[in-house]
Amino acid sequence: MADQRMITEPSRQVPVFRTCDVLVVGGGPAGTAAAATAARMGADTVVLERYGHLGGMSTGGFVVYIERMTDWEGRQVIAGMADEILDRLPREDVLGPPDELWGSRDPELVEYWGDRSNAHHGVVTWSPTVDPESLKIVSSNLLRERGVKQLLHSWAVAPIMDGNEVKGVIFESKSGRQAILADVVIDATGDGDIFAMAGAPFEGDIESDDIHHKINVAFMLGGVDMQRFYDFRREDSEEFRQIMNQGFDGGLGSDAVPHAMPRNDVALFMGPRLSGYSATDVEDLTQVEIESRDRMQEVLKFYKDNLPGFDKAWLLSTAPQMGTRHSRRLVGVKKVVREDWTQGKLHDDEIGVSPPPNPRSPNVSIPLGSMLPIGVDGLMAAGRNLACDPATHSFLRLVPQCWVMGQAAAVAATTAINAGVAVRDVDTAEVRSQLARQGVVLHQQAGSPDGLTM
Ligand SMILES: Cc1cc2nc3c(=O)[nH]c(=O)nc-3n(C[C@H](O)[C@H](O)[C@H](O)COP(=O)(O)OP(=O)(O)OC[C@H]3O[C@@H](n4cnc5c(N)ncnc54)[C@H](O)[C@@H]3O)c2cc1C
């Protein structure tokens, strides 16, 4: 039970570090895309990031498996910033099929790429796995080239409010407590830290059947031979099944499975996933670190002792960032709900398209309103803290969709600043045409043969 006493901090003067047009808080996929895009559109842009690198979960959380960007026909529906980032990675740092194979149903290709998480439901997809260090470098270089001011090792601790308008953010670092003033702040913390502190309503209910609320520290094993592991799984499938069942029954967890990396001698584990913890409770975060490390030692021992390809495995690295899938979700001007995408609803303020979670549903329309808070101005929320229901969160939280939202938030913010209006009053037609010019895939009104701009 926490101590119930309170203390009062004395009020103090905070030096203004800088003023900018667009301040992006959080340098994960959404924040990196937002900062790169705002600067591309001419905005004086600052990104604040609490760790020493960009990429958030996609680098520091070891979530290097970039989920599907193609639909079930093999059409690329997430492009724009996704292409800008992925095209910059050296080819040897990307594990994924060339574009001419996307959408293939050839059984041999499906089997090969299925092992490498690039084929689902019998279709080859564009869902590559990338090297995290390479992605950090590419992300940083992109922002440097565009002239974004990066402030790393900087933790945003409070919004600066003028009534119901956010005017900037106070942050803390080794330099002390400082302020940044901005025309628009984009909350890309993933956890909605800024909108929560600004008093915007949010929610946190979960879909208990889905993994979206689970949390854990991901890790990598070195010294493995993944090809040998896949060969054994295919050639001795019955023995493989027995070994795995023995592990699962012994408490390993059915999600303790390796994921292929661009290098054959490294295996990534994004589980075992833990339930029942809050990503915004410091004691829970501490407990998840401790428990995850216990679990990864069990996984290492099991694989080393039982699975071909893992006999020389060792614990190469553990993710420096807590693997948080879900915490706060904005209550926004629009909330994306399951019925929207099962019924193929097209939003008039659509700023991007997501592949559906399964082949039964059509491509999913993402609205600008899902990033706009109710009742708070000068602020947007991009990334996994968007306004949606838990079923929708299960897939709109993924890395490519966060790139889409970050890019769109920046276009909306910059367009609003240039027009001298609040972001909630921005001309959505102008935002959409700017996004299309930047290569973002959008549903067209009518007339195009496949209904998409690409
Ligand atoms: C274990 C795990 C497995 C996953 N598997 C996949 C997968 O296979 N494929 C896929 O596409 N997606 C996957 N996801 C989901 C995906 O990684 C995230 O939803 C996505 O990275 C969210 O992007 P984001 O930019 O919104 O937030 P994040 O990636 O969380 O980035 C937020 C950034 O903000 C920073 N920040 C937070 N608070 C502050 C603050 N107060 N001040 C300054 N900086 C702050 C953080 O340090 C971080 O860098 C997985 C997630 C996890 C945890």
Side-chain angles (χ1 to χ4, degrees):
M1 176 82 171
D3 196 322
Q4 298 298 304
R5 290 171 299 168
M6 304 287 272
I7 55 131
T8 304
E9 284 191 80
S11 66
R12 53 183 153 171
Q13 299 255 292
V14 176
V16 175
F17 175 80
R18 200 179 192 283
T19 299
C20 62
D21 300 326
V22 176
L23 171 60
V24 180
V25 185
T32 301
T37 305
R40 169 185 179 162
M41 292 188 62
D44 178 18
T45 306
V46 177
V47 63
L48 268 187
E49 167 54 49
R50 69 181 153 158
Y51 292 110
H53 56 259
L54 299 170
M57 290 300 123
S58 70
T59 56
F62 289 179
V63 181
V64 290
Y65 172 48
I66 313 297
E67 262 280 5
R68 273 179 304 112
M69 288 165 277
T70 42
D71 66 11
W72 299 104
E73 307 306 317
R75 291 182 302 188
Q76 187 180 3
V77 296
I78 295 187
M81 184 54 61
D83 283 354
E84 285 194 59
I85 291 176
L86 293 173
D87 287 351
R88 285 170 173 248
L89 292 169
R91 187 61 201 148
E92 64 271 21
D93 292 343
V94 179
L95 176 65
D99 53 5
E100 63 269 20
L101 300 185
W102 302 346
S104 168
R105 293 172 190 271
D106 178 321
E108 265 183 43
L109 290 171
V110 167
E111 181 175 273
Y112 179 85
W113 285 112
D115 279 348
R116 289 150 186 86
S117 306
N118 276 281
H120 306 270
H121 294 284
V123 181
V124 176
T125 55
W126 176 226
S127 43
T129 301
V130 305
D131 180 273
E133 296 307 322
S134 207
L135 184 53
K136 285 179 194 171
I137 292 167
V138 159
S139 303
S140 181
N141 286 348
L142 177 63
L143 297 203
R144 282 201 294 185
E145 281 168 28
R146 299 256 167 106
V148 175
K149 172 71 180 170
Q150 298 180 47
L151 276 178
L152 305 178
H153 300 288
S154 298
W155 192 302
V157 292
I160 300 164
M161 303 296 295
D162 180 3
N164 68 348
E165 190 173 353
V166 175
K167 297 294 220 179
V169 156
I170 295 174
F171 69 101
E172 289 192 346
S173 71
K174 284 289 186 183
S175 303
R177 195 169 164 95
Q178 293 168 291
I180 297 182
L181 303 173
D183 289 340
V184 175
V185 173
I186 298 177
D187 184 344
T189 60
D191 295 322
D193 283 8
I194 306 303
F195 68 61
M197 290 187 283
F202 59 86
E203 52 195 359
D205 53 322
I206 60 166
E207 177 95 353
S208 54
D209 292 344
D210 187 86
I211 64 165
H212 83 117
H213 57 94
K214 297 197 177 182
I215 186 167
N216 59 279
V217 178
F219 61 100
M220 290 190 233
L221 299 184
V224 306
D225 182 346
M226 286 301 282
Q227 190 56 57
R228 204 172 141 220
F229 171 76
Y230 290 134
D231 290 345
F232 173 69
R233 186 167 79 176
R234 184 168 303 110
E235 289 156 17
D236 296 281
S237 55
E238 184 48 33
E239 192 185 347
F240 175 80
R241 202 182 54 77
Q242 281 175 13
I243 293 173
M244 294 308 284
N245 282 345
Q246 175 199 329
F248 298 158
D249 295 345
L252 199 65
S254 57
D255 50 7
V257 287
H259 184 101
M261 290 289 288
R263 289 177 58 116
N264 185 54
D265 58 352
V266 177
L268 168 67
F269 287 78
M270 291 185 274
R273 310 178 192 112
L274 309 179
S275 297
Y277 292 107
S278 164
T280 54
D281 180 310
V282 67
E283 288 195 273
D284 279 8
L285 290 168
T286 306
Q287 190 53 37
V288 173
E289 286 281 353
I290 293 167
E291 194 175 333
S292 290
R293 279 170 218 288
D294 286 347
R295 300 295 301 277
M296 61 184 77
Q297 289 177 73
E298 292 163 15
V299 173
L300 171 61
K301 180 164 177 15
F302 174 78
Y303 274 84
K304 217 171 147 60
D305 290 351
N306 295 289
L307 272 311
F310 281 81
D311 46 313
K312 295 191 179 67
W314 54 283
L315 186 55
L316 169 64
S317 192
T318 64
Q321 289 185 231
M322 171 60 66
T324 306
R325 295 173 175 83
H326 175 252
S327 56
R328 304 184 186 100
R329 301 189 319 274
L330 182 73
V331 172
V333 168
K334 276 194 180 172
K335 176 175 181 173
V336 193
V337 296
R338 185 199 301 260
E339 294 70 36
D340 288 354
W341 46 269
T342 50
Q343 292 165 17
K345 177 171 178 171
L346 291 189
H347 293 279
D348 52 6
D349 59 344
E350 176 186 278
I351 47 76
V353 173
S354 166
N358 57 61
R360 297 185 301 282
S361 300
N363 286 321
V364 180
S365 176
I366 310 173
L368 179 65
S370 65
M371 299 190 288
L372 289 171
I374 296 171
V376 176
D377 280 321
L379 182 66
M380 301 189 71
R384 66 179 162 84
N385 44 207
L386 83 154
C388 63
D389 67 2
T392 308
H393 190 257
S394 67
F395 65 95
L396 284 193
R397 72 187 170 91
L398 298 168
V399 170
Q401 287 81 345
C402 290
W403 282 331
V404 168
M405 288 182 268
Q407 182 165 14
V411 168
T414 314
T415 306
I417 292 169
N418 291 342
V421 299
V423 187
R424 69 179 68 255
D425 297 324
V426 75
D427 179 351
T428 45
E430 173 55 25
V431 171
R432 281 170 52 82
S433 61
Q434 178 59 239
L435 287 168
R437 282 198 290 277
Q438 293 182 17
V440 173
V441 179
L442 296 166
H443 286 99
Q444 275 186 348
Q445 324 306 340
S448 93
D450 59 2
L452 297 169
T453 53
M454 285 176 63

PDB file of all heavy atoms in Angstrom, residues 37 44 88 99 117 161 175 197 200 203 212 230-231 254 259 268 277 281 287 323 343 371 406 424 427 436 447:
ATOM      1  N   THR A  37       8.355  14.494 -41.255  1.00  0.00           N
ATOM      2  CA  THR A  37       7.370  15.083 -42.168  1.00  0.00           C
ATOM      3  C   THR A  37       7.173  16.566 -41.894  1.00  0.00           C
ATOM      4  O   THR A  37       7.092  17.375 -42.829  1.00  0.00           O
ATOM      5  CB  THR A  37       6.029  14.330 -42.033  1.00  0.00           C
ATOM      6  OG1 THR A  37       6.267  12.941 -42.253  1.00  0.00           O
ATOM      7  CG2 THR A  37       5.010  14.849 -43.029  1.00  0.00           C
ATOM      8  N   ASP A  44       9.720  24.470 -38.344  1.00  0.00           N
ATOM      9  CA  ASP A  44      10.833  24.371 -37.396  1.00  0.00           C
ATOM     10  C   ASP A  44      10.407  23.308 -36.372  1.00  0.00           C
ATOM     11  O   ASP A  44       9.433  23.497 -35.645  1.00  0.00           O
ATOM     12  CB  ASP A  44      11.042  25.742 -36.737  1.00  0.00           C
ATOM     13  CG  ASP A  44      12.152  25.713 -35.703  1.00  0.00           C
ATOM     14  OD1 ASP A  44      12.967  24.778 -35.723  1.00  0.00           O
ATOM     15  OD2 ASP A  44      12.173  26.626 -34.846  1.00  0.00           O
ATOM     16  N   ARG A  88      15.818   3.156 -47.113  1.00  0.00           N
ATOM     17  CA  ARG A  88      17.152   3.630 -46.720  1.00  0.00           C
ATOM     18  C   ARG A  88      17.981   2.545 -46.026  1.00  0.00           C
ATOM     19  O   ARG A  88      19.185   2.715 -45.839  1.00  0.00           O
ATOM     20  CB  ARG A  88      17.023   4.797 -45.741  1.00  0.00           C
ATOM     21  CG  ARG A  88      16.609   6.092 -46.418  1.00  0.00           C
ATOM     22  CD  ARG A  88      16.252   7.136 -45.381  1.00  0.00           C
ATOM     23  NE  ARG A  88      16.022   8.428 -46.030  1.00  0.00           N
ATOM     24  CZ  ARG A  88      16.808   9.492 -45.892  1.00  0.00           C
ATOM     25  NH1 ARG A  88      17.871   9.441 -45.112  1.00  0.00           N
ATOM     26  NH2 ARG A  88      16.538  10.605 -46.522  1.00  0.00           N
ATOM     27  N   ASP A  99       9.389  -7.054 -54.047  1.00  0.00           N
ATOM     28  CA  ASP A  99       7.997  -6.654 -54.283  1.00  0.00           C
ATOM     29  C   ASP A  99       7.284  -7.497 -55.334  1.00  0.00           C
ATOM     30  O   ASP A  99       6.058  -7.637 -55.283  1.00  0.00           O
ATOM     31  CB  ASP A  99       7.874  -5.150 -54.583  1.00  0.00           C
ATOM     32  CG  ASP A  99       8.786  -4.691 -55.700  1.00  0.00           C
ATOM     33  OD1 ASP A  99       9.442  -5.547 -56.315  1.00  0.00           O
ATOM     34  OD2 ASP A  99       8.834  -3.473 -55.952  1.00  0.00           O
ATOM     35  N   SER A 117       7.969 -15.114 -41.423  1.00  0.00           N
ATOM     36  CA  SER A 117       6.856 -14.212 -41.061  1.00  0.00           C
ATOM     37  C   SER A 117       6.457 -13.263 -42.178  1.00  0.00           C
ATOM     38  O   SER A 117       5.944 -12.176 -41.926  1.00  0.00           O
ATOM     39  CB  SER A 117       7.197 -13.406 -39.798  1.00  0.00           C
ATOM     40  OG  SER A 117       7.570 -14.266 -38.765  1.00  0.00           O
ATOM     41  N   MET A 161       0.253  24.888 -20.228  1.00  0.00           N
ATOM     42  CA  MET A 161      -1.135  25.144 -20.598  1.00  0.00           C
ATOM     43  C   MET A 161      -1.465  26.630 -20.522  1.00  0.00           C
ATOM     44  O   MET A 161      -0.985  27.337 -19.641  1.00  0.00           O
ATOM     45  CB  MET A 161      -2.095  24.385 -19.656  1.00  0.00           C
ATOM     46  CG  MET A 161      -1.906  22.886 -19.584  1.00  0.00           C
ATOM     47  SD  MET A 161      -2.231  22.023 -21.144  1.00  0.00           S
ATOM     48  CE  MET A 161      -3.979  22.321 -21.398  1.00  0.00           C
ATOM     49  N   SER A 175      20.513  18.403 -17.986  1.00  0.00           N
ATOM     50  CA  SER A 175      20.672  19.865 -17.931  1.00  0.00           C
ATOM     51  C   SER A 175      19.655  20.502 -16.988  1.00  0.00           C
ATOM     52  O   SER A 175      19.589  21.722 -16.903  1.00  0.00           O
ATOM     53  CB  SER A 175      20.507  20.475 -19.323  1.00  0.00           C
ATOM     54  OG  SER A 175      21.421  19.925 -20.212  1.00  0.00           O
ATOM     55  N   MET A 197      -1.735  14.418 -19.048  1.00  0.00           N
ATOM     56  CA  MET A 197      -1.395  15.510 -18.130  1.00  0.00           C
ATOM     57  C   MET A 197      -2.100  16.809 -18.521  1.00  0.00           C
ATOM     58  O   MET A 197      -2.322  17.678 -17.678  1.00  0.00           O
ATOM     59  CB  MET A 197       0.127  15.714 -18.091  1.00  0.00           C
ATOM     60  CG  MET A 197       0.849  14.569 -17.395  1.00  0.00           C
ATOM     61  SD  MET A 197       2.613  14.886 -17.158  1.00  0.00           S
ATOM     62  CE  MET A 197       3.279  14.604 -18.782  1.00  0.00           C
ATOM     63  N   ALA A 200      -6.886  15.853 -21.147  1.00  0.00           N
ATOM     64  CA  ALA A 200      -7.754  15.278 -22.189  1.00  0.00           C
ATOM     65  C   ALA A 200      -8.253  13.916 -21.707  1.00  0.00           C
ATOM     66  O   ALA A 200      -7.497  13.162 -21.097  1.00  0.00           O
ATOM     67  CB  ALA A 200      -6.969  15.123 -23.492  1.00  0.00           C
ATOM     68  N   GLU A 203      -8.936   6.447 -22.330  1.00  0.00           N
ATOM     69  CA  GLU A 203      -9.463   5.184 -21.817  1.00  0.00           C
ATOM     70  C   GLU A 203      -8.398   4.095 -21.926  1.00  0.00           C
ATOM     71  O   GLU A 203      -7.379   4.284 -22.584  1.00  0.00           O
ATOM     72  CB  GLU A 203     -10.769   4.792 -22.525  1.00  0.00           C
ATOM     73  CG  GLU A 203     -10.693   4.786 -24.030  1.00  0.00           C
ATOM     74  CD  GLU A 203     -12.081   4.757 -24.676  1.00  0.00           C
ATOM     75  OE1 GLU A 203     -13.099   4.730 -23.955  1.00  0.00           O
ATOM     76  OE2 GLU A 203     -12.138   4.749 -25.913  1.00  0.00           O
ATOM     77  N   HIS A 212      -2.982  -7.541 -27.359  1.00  0.00           N
ATOM     78  CA  HIS A 212      -2.601  -6.125 -27.440  1.00  0.00           C
ATOM     79  C   HIS A 212      -2.305  -5.497 -26.081  1.00  0.00           C
ATOM     80  O   HIS A 212      -1.638  -4.480 -26.005  1.00  0.00           O
ATOM     81  CB  HIS A 212      -3.696  -5.315 -28.163  1.00  0.00           C
ATOM     82  CG  HIS A 212      -4.839  -4.905 -27.287  1.00  0.00           C
ATOM     83  ND1 HIS A 212      -5.133  -3.588 -27.028  1.00  0.00           N
ATOM     84  CD2 HIS A 212      -5.736  -5.630 -26.602  1.00  0.00           C
ATOM     85  CE1 HIS A 212      -6.180  -3.518 -26.235  1.00  0.00           C
ATOM     86  NE2 HIS A 212      -6.560  -4.742 -25.966  1.00  0.00           N
ATOM     87  N   TYR A 230      14.533 -24.424 -38.737  1.00  0.00           N
ATOM     88  CA  TYR A 230      13.393 -24.545 -39.665  1.00  0.00           C
ATOM     89  C   TYR A 230      13.420 -25.894 -40.384  1.00  0.00           C
ATOM     90  O   TYR A 230      12.369 -26.499 -40.612  1.00  0.00           O
ATOM     91  CB  TYR A 230      13.411 -23.412 -40.693  1.00  0.00           C
ATOM     92  CG  TYR A 230      13.088 -22.062 -40.096  1.00  0.00           C
ATOM     93  CD1 TYR A 230      13.849 -20.937 -40.389  1.00  0.00           C
ATOM     94  CD2 TYR A 230      12.001 -21.903 -39.220  1.00  0.00           C
ATOM     95  CE1 TYR A 230      13.556 -19.696 -39.839  1.00  0.00           C
ATOM     96  CE2 TYR A 230      11.710 -20.667 -38.667  1.00  0.00           C
ATOM     97  CZ  TYR A 230      12.484 -19.579 -38.971  1.00  0.00           C
ATOM     98  OH  TYR A 230      12.198 -18.362 -38.426  1.00  0.00           O
ATOM     99  N   ASP A 231      14.615 -26.364 -40.749  1.00  0.00           N
ATOM    100  CA  ASP A 231      14.708 -27.665 -41.422  1.00  0.00           C
ATOM    101  C   ASP A 231      14.183 -28.766 -40.511  1.00  0.00           C
ATOM    102  O   ASP A 231      13.429 -29.642 -40.942  1.00  0.00           O
ATOM    103  CB  ASP A 231      16.165 -27.963 -41.807  1.00  0.00           C
ATOM    104  CG  ASP A 231      16.655 -27.060 -42.935  1.00  0.00           C
ATOM    105  OD1 ASP A 231      15.805 -26.423 -43.581  1.00  0.00           O
ATOM    106  OD2 ASP A 231      17.884 -26.976 -43.137  1.00  0.00           O
ATOM    107  N   SER A 254       3.076 -20.712 -24.914  1.00  0.00           N
ATOM    108  CA  SER A 254       3.045 -21.001 -26.350  1.00  0.00           C
ATOM    109  C   SER A 254       3.553 -19.829 -27.179  1.00  0.00           C
ATOM    110  O   SER A 254       3.700 -19.933 -28.396  1.00  0.00           O
ATOM    111  CB  SER A 254       1.620 -21.349 -26.775  1.00  0.00           C
ATOM    112  OG  SER A 254       0.774 -20.273 -26.435  1.00  0.00           O
ATOM    113  N   HIS A 259      11.728 -15.763 -33.671  1.00  0.00           N
ATOM    114  CA  HIS A 259      11.396 -15.031 -34.893  1.00  0.00           C
ATOM    115  C   HIS A 259      12.709 -14.838 -35.664  1.00  0.00           C
ATOM    116  O   HIS A 259      13.723 -14.458 -35.074  1.00  0.00           O
ATOM    117  CB  HIS A 259      10.772 -13.691 -34.491  1.00  0.00           C
ATOM    118  CG  HIS A 259      10.307 -12.872 -35.648  1.00  0.00           C
ATOM    119  ND1 HIS A 259       8.976 -12.817 -36.022  1.00  0.00           N
ATOM    120  CD2 HIS A 259      10.984 -12.094 -36.517  1.00  0.00           C
ATOM    121  CE1 HIS A 259       8.861 -12.020 -37.066  1.00  0.00           C
ATOM    122  NE2 HIS A 259      10.058 -11.575 -37.388  1.00  0.00           N
ATOM    123  N   LEU A 268      15.109 -13.823 -32.480  1.00  0.00           N
ATOM    124  CA  LEU A 268      14.401 -12.815 -31.683  1.00  0.00           C
ATOM    125  C   LEU A 268      13.216 -13.470 -30.973  1.00  0.00           C
ATOM    126  O   LEU A 268      12.490 -14.265 -31.570  1.00  0.00           O
ATOM    127  CB  LEU A 268      13.892 -11.714 -32.626  1.00  0.00           C
ATOM    128  CG  LEU A 268      12.894 -10.708 -32.054  1.00  0.00           C
ATOM    129  CD1 LEU A 268      13.543  -9.841 -30.985  1.00  0.00           C
ATOM    130  CD2 LEU A 268      12.334  -9.832 -33.180  1.00  0.00           C
ATOM    131  N   TYR A 277      -0.456  -6.454 -15.938  1.00  0.00           N
ATOM    132  CA  TYR A 277       0.397  -5.347 -15.481  1.00  0.00           C
ATOM    133  C   TYR A 277       0.011  -4.054 -16.204  1.00  0.00           C
ATOM    134  O   TYR A 277      -0.448  -4.083 -17.354  1.00  0.00           O
ATOM    135  CB  TYR A 277       1.868  -5.653 -15.782  1.00  0.00           C
ATOM    136  CG  TYR A 277       2.446  -6.786 -14.964  1.00  0.00           C
ATOM    137  CD1 TYR A 277       2.702  -8.019 -15.545  1.00  0.00           C
ATOM    138  CD2 TYR A 277       2.719  -6.606 -13.607  1.00  0.00           C
ATOM    139  CE1 TYR A 277       3.249  -9.064 -14.789  1.00  0.00           C
ATOM    140  CE2 TYR A 277       3.265  -7.641 -12.855  1.00  0.00           C
ATOM    141  CZ  TYR A 277       3.522  -8.858 -13.451  1.00  0.00           C
ATOM    142  OH  TYR A 277       4.054  -9.886 -12.716  1.00  0.00           O
ATOM    143  N   ASP A 281       2.479   2.137 -14.426  1.00  0.00           N
ATOM    144  CA  ASP A 281       2.682   1.964 -12.980  1.00  0.00           C
ATOM    145  C   ASP A 281       4.134   1.528 -12.772  1.00  0.00           C
ATOM    146  O   ASP A 281       4.548   0.468 -13.253  1.00  0.00           O
ATOM    147  CB  ASP A 281       1.706   0.893 -12.462  1.00  0.00           C
ATOM    148  CG  ASP A 281       1.841   0.640 -10.965  1.00  0.00           C
ATOM    149  OD1 ASP A 281       2.992   0.426 -10.485  1.00  0.00           O
ATOM    150  OD2 ASP A 281       0.818   0.631 -10.273  1.00  0.00           O
ATOM    151  N   GLN A 287       8.432  -4.906 -11.939  1.00  0.00           N
ATOM    152  CA  GLN A 287       8.147  -6.333 -11.815  1.00  0.00           C
ATOM    153  C   GLN A 287       8.252  -7.038 -13.170  1.00  0.00           C
ATOM    154  O   GLN A 287       8.762  -8.158 -13.273  1.00  0.00           O
ATOM    155  CB  GLN A 287       6.749  -6.526 -11.204  1.00  0.00           C
ATOM    156  CG  GLN A 287       6.424  -7.954 -10.809  1.00  0.00           C
ATOM    157  CD  GLN A 287       7.482  -8.584  -9.891  1.00  0.00           C
ATOM    158  OE1 GLN A 287       8.055  -7.902  -9.028  1.00  0.00           O
ATOM    159  NE2 GLN A 287       7.756  -9.868 -10.099  1.00  0.00           N
ATOM    160  N   GLY A 323       8.656  -3.547 -23.413  1.00  0.00           N
ATOM    161  CA  GLY A 323       7.766  -3.897 -24.524  1.00  0.00           C
ATOM    162  C   GLY A 323       6.314  -3.616 -24.197  1.00  0.00           C
ATOM    163  O   GLY A 323       5.557  -4.497 -23.802  1.00  0.00           O
ATOM    164  N   GLN A 343     -17.286  -3.339 -41.647  1.00  0.00           N
ATOM    165  CA  GLN A 343     -18.267  -2.924 -42.660  1.00  0.00           C
ATOM    166  C   GLN A 343     -17.661  -2.017 -43.728  1.00  0.00           C
ATOM    167  O   GLN A 343     -18.375  -1.459 -44.557  1.00  0.00           O
ATOM    168  CB  GLN A 343     -19.443  -2.229 -41.968  1.00  0.00           C
ATOM    169  CG  GLN A 343     -20.251  -3.209 -41.122  1.00  0.00           C
ATOM    170  CD  GLN A 343     -21.185  -2.519 -40.140  1.00  0.00           C
ATOM    171  OE1 GLN A 343     -21.470  -1.338 -40.285  1.00  0.00           O
ATOM    172  NE2 GLN A 343     -21.652  -3.268 -39.157  1.00  0.00           N
ATOM    173  N   MET A 371      -6.903  11.259 -33.935  1.00  0.00           N
ATOM    174  CA  MET A 371      -5.676  11.814 -33.333  1.00  0.00           C
ATOM    175  C   MET A 371      -5.924  13.180 -32.703  1.00  0.00           C
ATOM    176  O   MET A 371      -4.986  13.824 -32.250  1.00  0.00           O
ATOM    177  CB  MET A 371      -4.582  11.928 -34.406  1.00  0.00           C
ATOM    178  CG  MET A 371      -4.214  10.575 -35.017  1.00  0.00           C
ATOM    179  SD  MET A 371      -2.746  10.661 -36.052  1.00  0.00           S
ATOM    180  CE  MET A 371      -3.390  11.553 -37.447  1.00  0.00           C
ATOM    181  N   GLY A 406       1.872   9.184 -37.698  1.00  0.00           N
ATOM    182  CA  GLY A 406       2.850  10.236 -37.439  1.00  0.00           C
ATOM    183  C   GLY A 406       2.975  11.183 -38.623  1.00  0.00           C
ATOM    184  O   GLY A 406       2.976  12.410 -38.467  1.00  0.00           O
ATOM    185  N   ARG A 424      -7.930  21.294 -35.235  1.00  0.00           N
ATOM    186  CA  ARG A 424      -9.245  20.667 -35.389  1.00  0.00           C
ATOM    187  C   ARG A 424     -10.032  21.325 -36.546  1.00  0.00           C
ATOM    188  O   ARG A 424     -10.990  20.752 -37.031  1.00  0.00           O
ATOM    189  CB  ARG A 424     -10.039  20.695 -34.093  1.00  0.00           C
ATOM    190  CG  ARG A 424     -10.512  22.055 -33.632  1.00  0.00           C
ATOM    191  CD  ARG A 424     -11.310  21.980 -32.330  1.00  0.00           C
ATOM    192  NE  ARG A 424     -10.465  21.595 -31.192  1.00  0.00           N
ATOM    193  CZ  ARG A 424     -10.469  20.400 -30.622  1.00  0.00           C
ATOM    194  NH1 ARG A 424     -11.266  19.461 -31.060  1.00  0.00           N
ATOM    195  NH2 ARG A 424      -9.685  20.143 -29.594  1.00  0.00           N
ATOM    196  N   ASP A 427      -8.149  22.162 -43.018  1.00  0.00           N
ATOM    197  CA  ASP A 427      -8.824  21.739 -44.252  1.00  0.00           C
ATOM    198  C   ASP A 427      -8.393  20.293 -44.558  1.00  0.00           C
ATOM    199  O   ASP A 427      -7.277  20.048 -44.999  1.00  0.00           O
ATOM    200  CB  ASP A 427      -8.396  22.701 -45.372  1.00  0.00           C
ATOM    201  CG  ASP A 427      -9.020  22.353 -46.711  1.00  0.00           C
ATOM    202  OD1 ASP A 427      -9.641  21.272 -46.826  1.00  0.00           O
ATOM    203  OD2 ASP A 427      -8.865  23.166 -47.640  1.00  0.00           O
ATOM    204  N   ALA A 436      -1.198  12.502 -50.232  1.00  0.00           N
ATOM    205  CA  ALA A 436      -1.110  11.751 -51.499  1.00  0.00           C
ATOM    206  C   ALA A 436       0.161  12.149 -52.254  1.00  0.00           C
ATOM    207  O   ALA A 436       0.852  11.292 -52.824  1.00  0.00           O
ATOM    208  CB  ALA A 436      -2.357  12.004 -52.348  1.00  0.00           C
ATOM    209  N   GLY A 447     -14.119   6.341 -58.973  1.00  0.00           N
ATOM    210  CA  GLY A 447     -13.542   6.473 -60.312  1.00  0.00           C
ATOM    211  C   GLY A 447     -12.271   5.703 -60.559  1.00  0.00           C
ATOM    212  O   GLY A 447     -12.019   5.286 -61.677  1.00  0.00           O
TER     213      GLY A 447
END
